[in-house]
PDB file of all heavy atoms in Angstrom:
ATOM      1  N   GLY B 166      24.091-109.924 -50.449  1.00  0.00           N
ATOM      2  CA  GLY B 166      24.659-109.182 -51.473  1.00  0.00           C
ATOM      3  C   GLY B 166      23.576-108.451 -52.298  1.00  0.00           C
ATOM      4  O   GLY B 166      22.377-108.653 -52.073  1.00  0.00           O
ATOM      5  N   ALA B 167      23.995-107.637 -53.204  1.00  0.00           N
ATOM      6  CA  ALA B 167      23.120-106.803 -53.956  1.00  0.00           C
ATOM      7  C   ALA B 167      23.669-106.556 -55.280  1.00  0.00           C
ATOM      8  O   ALA B 167      24.953-106.783 -55.573  1.00  0.00           O
ATOM      9  CB  ALA B 167      22.801-105.584 -53.282  1.00  0.00           C
ATOM     10  N   LYS B 168      22.848-106.095 -56.270  1.00  0.00           N
ATOM     11  CA  LYS B 168      23.270-105.759 -57.518  1.00  0.00           C
ATOM     12  C   LYS B 168      22.973-104.169 -57.710  1.00  0.00           C
ATOM     13  O   LYS B 168      21.950-103.750 -57.384  1.00  0.00           O
ATOM     14  CB  LYS B 168      22.625-106.569 -58.571  1.00  0.00           C
ATOM     15  CG  LYS B 168      23.062-106.112 -59.974  1.00  0.00           C
ATOM     16  CD  LYS B 168      22.179-106.794 -61.083  1.00  0.00           C
ATOM     17  CE  LYS B 168      22.643-108.246 -61.280  1.00  0.00           C
ATOM     18  NZ  LYS B 168      21.873-108.847 -62.387  1.00  0.00           N
ATOM     19  N   CYS B 169      24.039-103.463 -58.241  1.00  0.00           N
ATOM     20  CA  CYS B 169      23.673-102.109 -58.439  1.00  0.00           C
ATOM     21  C   CYS B 169      23.638-101.592 -59.859  1.00  0.00           C
ATOM     22  O   CYS B 169      24.492-102.238 -60.716  1.00  0.00           O
ATOM     23  CB  CYS B 169      24.872-101.274 -57.754  1.00  0.00           C
ATOM     24  SG  CYS B 169      25.003-101.435 -56.090  1.00  0.00           S
ATOM     25  N   LEU B 170      22.746-100.865 -60.371  1.00  0.00           N
ATOM     26  CA  LEU B 170      22.724-100.290 -61.637  1.00  0.00           C
ATOM     27  C   LEU B 170      22.711 -98.868 -61.684  1.00  0.00           C
ATOM     28  O   LEU B 170      21.919 -98.227 -60.867  1.00  0.00           O
ATOM     29  CB  LEU B 170      21.381-100.808 -62.262  1.00  0.00           C
ATOM     30  CG  LEU B 170      21.295-102.364 -62.541  1.00  0.00           C
ATOM     31  CD1 LEU B 170      19.953-102.791 -63.020  1.00  0.00           C
ATOM     32  CD2 LEU B 170      22.336-102.878 -63.539  1.00  0.00           C
ATOM     33  N   PRO B 171      23.621 -98.248 -62.420  1.00  0.00           N
ATOM     34  CA  PRO B 171      23.636 -96.858 -62.572  1.00  0.00           C
ATOM     35  C   PRO B 171      22.249 -96.216 -63.134  1.00  0.00           C
ATOM     36  O   PRO B 171      21.702 -96.880 -63.959  1.00  0.00           O
ATOM     37  CB  PRO B 171      24.756 -96.454 -63.496  1.00  0.00           C
ATOM     38  CG  PRO B 171      25.123 -97.755 -64.205  1.00  0.00           C
ATOM     39  CD  PRO B 171      24.560 -98.790 -63.346  1.00  0.00           C
ATOM     40  N   ALA B 172      21.796 -95.063 -62.539  1.00  0.00           N
ATOM     41  CA  ALA B 172      20.561 -94.510 -63.022  1.00  0.00           C
ATOM     42  C   ALA B 172      20.629 -93.144 -62.943  1.00  0.00           C
ATOM     43  O   ALA B 172      21.522 -92.458 -62.466  1.00  0.00           O
ATOM     44  CB  ALA B 172      19.389 -95.132 -62.162  1.00  0.00           C
ATOM     45  N   LYS B 173      19.601 -92.460 -63.530  1.00  0.00           N
ATOM     46  CA  LYS B 173      19.398 -91.048 -63.327  1.00  0.00           C
ATOM     47  C   LYS B 173      17.964 -90.652 -62.975  1.00  0.00           C
ATOM     48  O   LYS B 173      17.016 -91.307 -63.615  1.00  0.00           O
ATOM     49  CB  LYS B 173      19.746 -90.281 -64.579  1.00  0.00           C
ATOM     50  CG  LYS B 173      21.163 -89.728 -64.554  1.00  0.00           C
ATOM     51  CD  LYS B 173      21.414 -88.740 -65.645  1.00  0.00           C
ATOM     52  CE  LYS B 173      22.773 -88.154 -65.403  1.00  0.00           C
ATOM     53  NZ  LYS B 173      23.326 -87.491 -66.432  1.00  0.00           N
ATOM     54  N   ILE B 174      17.787 -89.821 -62.096  1.00  0.00           N
ATOM     55  CA  ILE B 174      16.448 -89.313 -61.684  1.00  0.00           C
ATOM     56  C   ILE B 174      16.435 -87.765 -61.760  1.00  0.00           C
ATOM     57  O   ILE B 174      17.369 -87.213 -61.185  1.00  0.00           O
ATOM     58  CB  ILE B 174      15.979 -89.879 -60.255  1.00  0.00           C
ATOM     59  CG1 ILE B 174      14.675 -89.481 -60.002  1.00  0.00           C
ATOM     60  CG2 ILE B 174      16.971 -89.382 -59.248  1.00  0.00           C
ATOM     61  CD1 ILE B 174      14.028 -90.243 -58.862  1.00  0.00           C
ATOM     62  N   ALA B 175      15.723 -87.246 -62.657  1.00  0.00           N
ATOM     63  CA  ALA B 175      15.558 -85.833 -62.865  1.00  0.00           C
ATOM     64  C   ALA B 175      17.069 -85.273 -62.993  1.00  0.00           C
ATOM     65  O   ALA B 175      17.504 -84.346 -62.455  1.00  0.00           O
ATOM     66  CB  ALA B 175      14.905 -85.115 -61.674  1.00  0.00           C
ATOM     67  N   ASN B 176      17.801 -85.902 -63.833  1.00  0.00           N
ATOM     68  CA  ASN B 176      19.066 -85.589 -64.154  1.00  0.00           C
ATOM     69  C   ASN B 176      20.183 -85.590 -63.035  1.00  0.00           C
ATOM     70  O   ASN B 176      21.227 -85.224 -63.183  1.00  0.00           O
ATOM     71  CB  ASN B 176      19.132 -84.172 -64.705  1.00  0.00           C
ATOM     72  CG  ASN B 176      19.897 -84.076 -66.131  1.00  0.00           C
ATOM     73  OD1 ASN B 176      20.047 -85.174 -66.771  1.00  0.00           O
ATOM     74  ND2 ASN B 176      20.514 -82.971 -66.374  1.00  0.00           N
ATOM     75  N   ILE B 177      19.777 -86.170 -61.966  1.00  0.00           N
ATOM     76  CA  ILE B 177      20.677 -86.451 -60.921  1.00  0.00           C
ATOM     77  C   ILE B 177      21.267 -87.908 -60.930  1.00  0.00           C
ATOM     78  O   ILE B 177      20.428 -88.845 -61.027  1.00  0.00           O
ATOM     79  CB  ILE B 177      20.155 -86.262 -59.471  1.00  0.00           C
ATOM     80  CG1 ILE B 177      19.632 -84.777 -59.463  1.00  0.00           C
ATOM     81  CG2 ILE B 177      21.105 -86.563 -58.373  1.00  0.00           C
ATOM     82  CD1 ILE B 177      19.055 -84.458 -58.097  1.00  0.00           C
ATOM     83  N   ASP B 178      22.578 -88.078 -60.931  1.00  0.00           N
ATOM     84  CA  ASP B 178      23.064 -89.444 -60.876  1.00  0.00           C
ATOM     85  C   ASP B 178      22.705 -90.303 -59.653  1.00  0.00           C
ATOM     86  O   ASP B 178      22.763 -89.700 -58.590  1.00  0.00           O
ATOM     87  CB  ASP B 178      24.567 -89.414 -60.952  1.00  0.00           C
ATOM     88  CG  ASP B 178      25.076 -89.089 -62.357  1.00  0.00           C
ATOM     89  OD1 ASP B 178      24.620 -89.661 -63.330  1.00  0.00           O
ATOM     90  OD2 ASP B 178      25.966 -88.155 -62.499  1.00  0.00           O
ATOM     91  N   CYS B 179      22.265 -91.461 -59.892  1.00  0.00           N
ATOM     92  CA  CYS B 179      21.906 -92.228 -58.795  1.00  0.00           C
ATOM     93  C   CYS B 179      22.156 -93.710 -59.004  1.00  0.00           C
ATOM     94  O   CYS B 179      22.570 -94.051 -60.118  1.00  0.00           O
ATOM     95  CB  CYS B 179      20.395 -91.968 -58.267  1.00  0.00           C
ATOM     96  SG  CYS B 179      19.247 -92.283 -59.554  1.00  0.00           S
ATOM     97  N   THR B 180      21.812 -94.638 -58.034  1.00  0.00           N
ATOM     98  CA  THR B 180      22.094 -95.994 -58.228  1.00  0.00           C
ATOM     99  C   THR B 180      20.909 -96.753 -57.784  1.00  0.00           C
ATOM    100  O   THR B 180      20.440 -96.474 -56.722  1.00  0.00           O
ATOM    101  CB  THR B 180      23.303 -96.478 -57.442  1.00  0.00           C
ATOM    102  OG1 THR B 180      24.463 -95.514 -57.815  1.00  0.00           O
ATOM    103  CG2 THR B 180      23.689 -97.900 -57.755  1.00  0.00           C
ATOM    104  N   ILE B 181      20.471 -97.670 -58.641  1.00  0.00           N
ATOM    105  CA  ILE B 181      19.389 -98.702 -58.103  1.00  0.00           C
ATOM    106  C   ILE B 181      20.128 -99.728 -57.402  1.00  0.00           C
ATOM    107  O   ILE B 181      21.083-100.231 -57.973  1.00  0.00           O
ATOM    108  CB  ILE B 181      18.579 -99.270 -59.308  1.00  0.00           C
ATOM    109  CG1 ILE B 181      17.663 -98.001 -59.751  1.00  0.00           C
ATOM    110  CG2 ILE B 181      17.701-100.403 -58.889  1.00  0.00           C
ATOM    111  CD1 ILE B 181      16.787 -98.409 -60.910  1.00  0.00           C
ATOM    112  N   ILE B 182      19.612-100.241 -56.172  1.00  0.00           N
ATOM    113  CA  ILE B 182      20.165-101.192 -55.571  1.00  0.00           C
ATOM    114  C   ILE B 182      19.231-102.334 -55.311  1.00  0.00           C
ATOM    115  O   ILE B 182      18.074-102.146 -54.893  1.00  0.00           O
ATOM    116  CB  ILE B 182      20.873-100.765 -54.242  1.00  0.00           C
ATOM    117  CG1 ILE B 182      21.528-101.883 -53.381  1.00  0.00           C
ATOM    118  CG2 ILE B 182      19.893 -99.899 -53.376  1.00  0.00           C
ATOM    119  CD1 ILE B 182      22.468-101.405 -52.503  1.00  0.00           C
ATOM    120  N   MET B 183      19.512-103.475 -55.964  1.00  0.00           N
ATOM    121  CA  MET B 183      18.647-104.642 -55.907  1.00  0.00           C
ATOM    122  C   MET B 183      19.174-105.739 -54.969  1.00  0.00           C
ATOM    123  O   MET B 183      20.105-106.389 -55.374  1.00  0.00           O
ATOM    124  CB  MET B 183      18.391-105.132 -57.287  1.00  0.00           C
ATOM    125  CG  MET B 183      18.062-104.097 -58.267  1.00  0.00           C
ATOM    126  SD  MET B 183      17.892-104.718 -59.966  1.00  0.00           S
ATOM    127  CE  MET B 183      16.354-105.398 -59.924  1.00  0.00           C
ATOM    128  N   PRO B 184      18.625-106.076 -53.809  1.00  0.00           N
ATOM    129  CA  PRO B 184      18.996-107.069 -52.988  1.00  0.00           C
ATOM    130  C   PRO B 184      18.973-108.458 -53.850  1.00  0.00           C
ATOM    131  O   PRO B 184      18.057-108.631 -54.637  1.00  0.00           O
ATOM    132  CB  PRO B 184      17.961-107.272 -51.934  1.00  0.00           C
ATOM    133  CG  PRO B 184      17.487-105.811 -51.882  1.00  0.00           C
ATOM    134  CD  PRO B 184      17.451-105.443 -53.351  1.00  0.00           C
ATOM    135  N   LYS B 185      20.002-109.234 -53.755  1.00  0.00           N
ATOM    136  CA  LYS B 185      20.269-110.434 -54.442  1.00  0.00           C
ATOM    137  C   LYS B 185      19.153-111.485 -54.198  1.00  0.00           C
ATOM    138  O   LYS B 185      18.585-112.041 -55.105  1.00  0.00           O
ATOM    139  CB  LYS B 185      21.548-111.112 -54.263  1.00  0.00           C
ATOM    140  CG  LYS B 185      22.640-110.319 -55.067  1.00  0.00           C
ATOM    141  CD  LYS B 185      23.334-111.294 -56.076  1.00  0.00           C
ATOM    142  CE  LYS B 185      24.299-110.548 -56.850  1.00  0.00           C
ATOM    143  NZ  LYS B 185      25.561-110.340 -56.238  1.00  0.00           N
ATOM    144  N   ARG B 186      18.857-111.702 -52.919  1.00  0.00           N
ATOM    145  CA  ARG B 186      17.846-112.660 -52.672  1.00  0.00           C
ATOM    146  C   ARG B 186      16.598-112.132 -52.024  1.00  0.00           C
ATOM    147  O   ARG B 186      16.265-112.420 -50.889  1.00  0.00           O
ATOM    148  CB  ARG B 186      18.395-113.919 -51.846  1.00  0.00           C
ATOM    149  CG  ARG B 186      18.848-113.582 -50.446  1.00  0.00           C
ATOM    150  CD  ARG B 186      19.561-114.777 -49.903  1.00  0.00           C
ATOM    151  NE  ARG B 186      20.785-115.075 -50.503  1.00  0.00           N
ATOM    152  CZ  ARG B 186      21.309-116.333 -50.819  1.00  0.00           C
ATOM    153  NH1 ARG B 186      20.689-117.416 -50.318  1.00  0.00           N
ATOM    154  NH2 ARG B 186      22.545-116.398 -51.241  1.00  0.00           N
ATOM    155  N   SER B 187      16.021-111.284 -52.826  1.00  0.00           N
ATOM    156  CA  SER B 187      14.736-110.634 -52.328  1.00  0.00           C
ATOM    157  C   SER B 187      13.651-111.365 -53.086  1.00  0.00           C
ATOM    158  O   SER B 187      13.852-111.882 -54.149  1.00  0.00           O
ATOM    159  CB  SER B 187      14.723-109.132 -52.636  1.00  0.00           C
ATOM    160  OG  SER B 187      14.335-108.969 -54.099  1.00  0.00           O
ATOM    161  N   HIS B 188      12.546-111.379 -52.439  1.00  0.00           N
ATOM    162  CA  HIS B 188      11.265-111.892 -53.113  1.00  0.00           C
ATOM    163  C   HIS B 188      11.017-110.804 -54.136  1.00  0.00           C
ATOM    164  O   HIS B 188      11.224-109.709 -54.050  1.00  0.00           O
ATOM    165  CB  HIS B 188      10.223-112.029 -52.067  1.00  0.00           C
ATOM    166  CG  HIS B 188      10.650-112.591 -50.676  1.00  0.00           C
ATOM    167  ND1 HIS B 188      11.262-113.826 -50.702  1.00  0.00           N
ATOM    168  CD2 HIS B 188      10.718-112.002 -49.564  1.00  0.00           C
ATOM    169  CE1 HIS B 188      11.585-113.986 -49.378  1.00  0.00           C
ATOM    170  NE2 HIS B 188      11.324-112.907 -48.799  1.00  0.00           N
ATOM    171  N   HIS B 189      10.399-111.337 -55.234  1.00  0.00           N
ATOM    172  CA  HIS B 189       9.987-110.463 -56.228  1.00  0.00           C
ATOM    173  C   HIS B 189       8.983-109.405 -55.711  1.00  0.00           C
ATOM    174  O   HIS B 189       8.157-109.754 -55.052  1.00  0.00           O
ATOM    175  CB  HIS B 189       9.511-111.233 -57.468  1.00  0.00           C
ATOM    176  CG  HIS B 189      10.409-111.955 -58.190  1.00  0.00           C
ATOM    177  ND1 HIS B 189      10.347-112.452 -59.575  1.00  0.00           N
ATOM    178  CD2 HIS B 189      11.666-112.333 -57.885  1.00  0.00           C
ATOM    179  CE1 HIS B 189      11.439-112.930 -59.933  1.00  0.00           C
ATOM    180  NE2 HIS B 189      12.337-113.071 -58.857  1.00  0.00           N
ATOM    181  N   SER B 190       9.372-108.254 -56.135  1.00  0.00           N
ATOM    182  CA  SER B 190       8.551-107.084 -55.415  1.00  0.00           C
ATOM    183  C   SER B 190       8.332-106.016 -56.511  1.00  0.00           C
ATOM    184  O   SER B 190       9.007-106.113 -57.576  1.00  0.00           O
ATOM    185  CB  SER B 190       9.293-106.639 -54.281  1.00  0.00           C
ATOM    186  OG  SER B 190       9.238-105.239 -54.267  1.00  0.00           O
ATOM    187  N   ASP B 191       7.589-105.048 -56.242  1.00  0.00           N
ATOM    188  CA  ASP B 191       7.327-104.120 -57.244  1.00  0.00           C
ATOM    189  C   ASP B 191       8.051-102.784 -56.821  1.00  0.00           C
ATOM    190  O   ASP B 191       7.759-101.686 -57.242  1.00  0.00           O
ATOM    191  CB  ASP B 191       5.896-103.781 -57.516  1.00  0.00           C
ATOM    192  CG  ASP B 191       5.146-103.464 -56.278  1.00  0.00           C
ATOM    193  OD1 ASP B 191       5.706-103.588 -55.199  1.00  0.00           O
ATOM    194  OD2 ASP B 191       4.067-103.085 -56.299  1.00  0.00           O
ATOM    195  N   ILE B 192       8.954-102.876 -55.855  1.00  0.00           N
ATOM    196  CA  ILE B 192       9.513-101.743 -55.300  1.00  0.00           C
ATOM    197  C   ILE B 192      11.112-101.713 -55.555  1.00  0.00           C
ATOM    198  O   ILE B 192      11.722-102.803 -55.439  1.00  0.00           O
ATOM    199  CB  ILE B 192       9.340-101.653 -53.727  1.00  0.00           C
ATOM    200  CG1 ILE B 192       7.830-101.397 -53.466  1.00  0.00           C
ATOM    201  CG2 ILE B 192      10.243-100.510 -53.101  1.00  0.00           C
ATOM    202  CD1 ILE B 192       7.600-100.996 -52.089  1.00  0.00           C
ATOM    203  N   VAL B 193      11.629-100.718 -56.020  1.00  0.00           N
ATOM    204  CA  VAL B 193      13.098-100.583 -56.267  1.00  0.00           C
ATOM    205  C   VAL B 193      13.601 -99.470 -55.318  1.00  0.00           C
ATOM    206  O   VAL B 193      12.889 -98.501 -54.927  1.00  0.00           O
ATOM    207  CB  VAL B 193      13.436-100.133 -57.708  1.00  0.00           C
ATOM    208  CG1 VAL B 193      13.012-101.306 -58.692  1.00  0.00           C
ATOM    209  CG2 VAL B 193      12.795 -98.816 -58.112  1.00  0.00           C
ATOM    210  N   GLU B 194      14.808 -99.759 -54.920  1.00  0.00           N
ATOM    211  CA  GLU B 194      15.436 -98.719 -53.931  1.00  0.00           C
ATOM    212  C   GLU B 194      16.501 -98.074 -54.656  1.00  0.00           C
ATOM    213  O   GLU B 194      17.383 -98.557 -55.440  1.00  0.00           O
ATOM    214  CB  GLU B 194      16.065 -99.530 -52.817  1.00  0.00           C
ATOM    215  CG  GLU B 194      14.964-100.196 -51.944  1.00  0.00           C
ATOM    216  CD  GLU B 194      15.620-100.872 -50.633  1.00  0.00           C
ATOM    217  OE1 GLU B 194      16.006-100.092 -49.810  1.00  0.00           O
ATOM    218  OE2 GLU B 194      15.801-102.099 -50.642  1.00  0.00           O
TER     219      GLU B 194
END
Side-chain angles (χ1 to χ4, degrees):
Chain B
K168 175 190 286 188
C169 294
L170 293 172
K173 258 195 176 171
I174 185 166
N176 231 24
I177 296 178
D178 284 313
C179 56
T180 306
I181 288 182
I182 177 157
M183 311 174 77
K185 281 240 173 84
R186 62 188 73 213
S187 78
H188 318 297
H189 286 204
S190 136
D191 57 351
I192 294 188
V193 295
E194 295 187 72

